[in-house]
Amino acid sequence: MDGGGDATGTDRTDADGPGPDAGANTGPGSGPGRHRSGGGDGLASAPARARTDGPPLVRSTGNGGTDRTDTAPAGTTRRRGPVVAALMLGMALAALDGTVVSTAVPQIVGDLGGFSVFSWLFSGYLLAVTVTLPVYGKLSDTFGRKPVLIVGIVLFLAGSLLCAAAWNMASLIAFRVVQGLGGGALQGTIQTIAADMYPLKERPRIVSKLSTVWAVSAVAGPAVGGLLAAYADWRWIFLINLPVGAVALWLIARHLVEPPRERGPRPKVDWPGALAIFLTGTLLLTALVQGGVAWPWLSAPSLGLFAGSAAAAAMTVLIERRAAEPVIPGWVWRRRTIASVNLALGALGLLMIAPTVFLPTYAQSVLGLGPIAAGFVLSVMTLSWPVSAAYSNRLYNRIGFRNTALTGIGAALAVLLAFPLLPYPGEPWQPALIMLLLGAALGFFQLPLLVGVQSTVPWAERGTTTASVLFCRQVGQSVGAALFGALANTVLAARLGGSGDLDSVSHALANGSPDDGLRRAVAAAVDHVFVGSAAAAGLAVLVLLCLAPRRFPVIKEPQPDG
């Protein structure tokens, strides 16, 4: 097995693909609770041993079917339909949230005021989602996926209802944080349930469906938000979540079945660790999001927040090392496979800032497109991404997870470097083609890594593993926004004689077409940002080559019933 330090005491196959390993033993005692792992996990507590290989998430309830007690997907495919529909509806809640709200900002500010702090409508939500991901991941491994997902949906819907009733910008921001507390459960737990329900061979099918939800949301979200804000009221942007979430909640409650768990001592929740992680993430992400925007990078607020986040991180490490069942176990970083995927997808979050944040501004200021046309230039990426992801299994079954991901990120690196070569001002189809190719490349990068890392851990570790991957990607996005925002402002200031930044571009767009000097400065700034994104892609290549095992240590999975 080529994966040094990834063993968990569970039977594994050396091949990346599912292979002919049906019926492998992954019963009780095959997880980290029985043996000290190669990654130095140490011995798990008795409750952890009882939960190591938890129950499947869909139970066959008819035709003589029996409950499964292994880590493989369970139940017949006939029982998956309602659960898959619920997962897609839940994912739609999280995916539509940002795109719908962004188009209604002018109406919201006009009604409630608070223009100077409206960016916290997005930053507050992002903070809450990011810092709660690892907590929900651990809770889903401890208590099961179903209760965590139900709590997440309820929190999200409660936050939506409160947002619709907001009376000023401060209250709306606070209620958006409540939404984010539910959104963290939605993002991590839905991905984990999808991995539980489908064996390795079939998993790209469900992941591509969830990716399609994001693609449709990217295209439909701005239009839905604009229509509601223009012809109804901006509060309907939040109220529309209620019926969608109610249907998802009913389907989950009715059709997502978890067999009774083994009796044992009441599991302990590491609440001090959860609070320490929440504090660390809040301080760090606030520094990254607001630095260079609300205050200068070298100002007292920025330095204080970074120092506070460092102290909180040190406190978190001490708490987690002493906890019986830590929220972020040490094995997340001691196992080569998980650590390398975390770093690689953190780099993905970093490089995604260039197309998602800066391309719309480029399309409007340099190409002279309207907001809807500019959104389309970006949205073509979300059309090719799920298609390539759906077909990625044909490649990783032949050459392995790591090599497939290397193929995807290598292609993405070339595409990102091609962007600065576009002519000025160019035609809209040129950046649209770049985005189409980038989406296709990243589909071959992200999905194999996510599916691969989920397949290296048993049921009782899958929630924590999935959450750690998503957490690193979210942190990468926050770091990328701060880093590339500073880079773009520096280039703009140099091109405009020291008096330009991204705010001046926004004001110029609001007041009409910018002059040629500003357009050329924006083109140069975005070119530099894409070069920076290419550097992030290069970092991902190095991580996969130097840290990731050549073949992921995949756990053997029995075949599902039916």
Side-chain angles (χ1 to χ4, degrees), residues 14 27 33 38 41 69 75 93 114 150 162-165 212 215 283 316 340 361 380 418 430 447 497 512-513 537 552:
D14 291 336
D41 294 351
T69 55
L93 288 175
I150 288 176
L162 291 170
C163 285
T212 302
L283 292 174
T316 301
S340 61
T361 300
V380 294
Q430 294 168 335
L447 185 137
S513 300
F552 283 22

Side-chain angles (χ1 to χ4, degrees), residues 232-250:
D233 186 272
W234 64 264
R235 299 179 190 273
W236 281 100
I237 289 173
F238 300 104
L239 291 175
I240 200 174
N241 291 332
L242 301 181
V244 176
V247 173
L249 192 61
W250 180 79

Side-chain angles (χ1 to χ4, degrees), residues 294-532:
W295 48 71
W297 283 110
L298 297 179
S299 64
S302 280
L303 296 177
L305 286 169
F306 280 121
S309 64
M315 179 179 65
T316 301
V317 171
L318 292 176
I319 293 174
E320 294 295 86
R321 292 183 66 178
R322 297 177 180 179
E325 296 186 40
V327 174
I328 302 182
W331 53 259
V332 168
W333 292 105
R334 286 195 293 266
R335 297 181 193 171
R336 281 180 57 194
T337 303
I338 302 175
S340 61
V341 171
N342 283 345
L343 292 175
L345 290 185
L348 173 63
L350 190 69
L351 74 85
M352 283 299 296
I353 292 300
T356 57
V357 175
F358 290 91
L359 187 64
T361 300
Y362 175 91
Q364 293 182 66
S365 60
V366 177
L367 302 179
L369 301 178
I372 296 177
F376 177 77
V377 171
L378 172 62
S379 67
V380 294
M381 178 180 68
T382 64
L383 300 178
S384 58
W385 191 318
V387 173
S388 64
Y391 285 95
S392 65
N393 65 319
R394 298 187 181 186
L395 188 58
Y396 69 61
N397 283 331
R398 290 175 177 268
I399 66 175
F401 292 117
R402 190 195 72 163
N403 290 339
T404 302
L406 278 170
T407 301
I409 196 62
L413 172 59
V415 171
L416 290 166
L417 288 175
F419 188 91
L421 302 179
L422 295 179
Y424 173 87
E427 298 293 333
W429 67 265
Q430 294 168 335
L433 177 60
I434 292 288
M435 291 302 101
L436 189 71
L437 296 175
L438 182 62
L442 293 178
F444 281 102
F445 171 66
Q446 182 187 31
L447 185 137
L449 291 181
L450 180 60
V451 170
V453 77
Q454 288 175 333
S455 302
T456 66
V457 294
W459 186 95
E461 297 176 355
R462 193 170 289 147
T464 299
T465 300
T466 303
S468 73
V469 169
L470 298 178
F471 174 77
C472 288
R473 176 172 172 171
Q474 293 281 79
V475 171
Q477 288 179 330
S478 299
V479 172
L483 182 63
F484 294 143
L487 174 62
N489 282 335
T490 300
V491 174
L492 284 172
R495 292 298 182 105
L496 299 174
S499 60
D501 57 19
L502 293 175
D503 287 336
S504 65
V505 176
S506 299
H507 292 153
L509 290 174
N511 296 328
S513 300
D515 58 47
D516 187 67
L518 182 57
R519 293 173 66 197
R520 289 184 178 275
V522 171
V526 176
D527 285 347
H528 280 75
V529 169
F530 269 83
V531 172

Side-chain angles (χ1 to χ4, degrees), residues 90-91 93-94 125 129 132 136 139-140 144-160 176-190 193 241 245-246 248-249 252:
M91 187 65 76
L93 288 175
Y125 179 85
V129 168
T132 55
Y136 284 127
L139 291 177
S140 74
R145 325 297 193 209
K146 184 175 182 176
V148 172
L149 183 55
I150 288 176
V151 169
I153 294 175
V154 170
L155 271 175
F156 190 91
L157 295 182
S160 298
R176 284 281 287 167
V177 172
V178 176
Q179 261 193 319
L181 295 177
L186 290 175
Q187 289 195 26
T189 312
I190 287 174
I193 292 173
N241 291 332
L249 192 61
I252 291 295

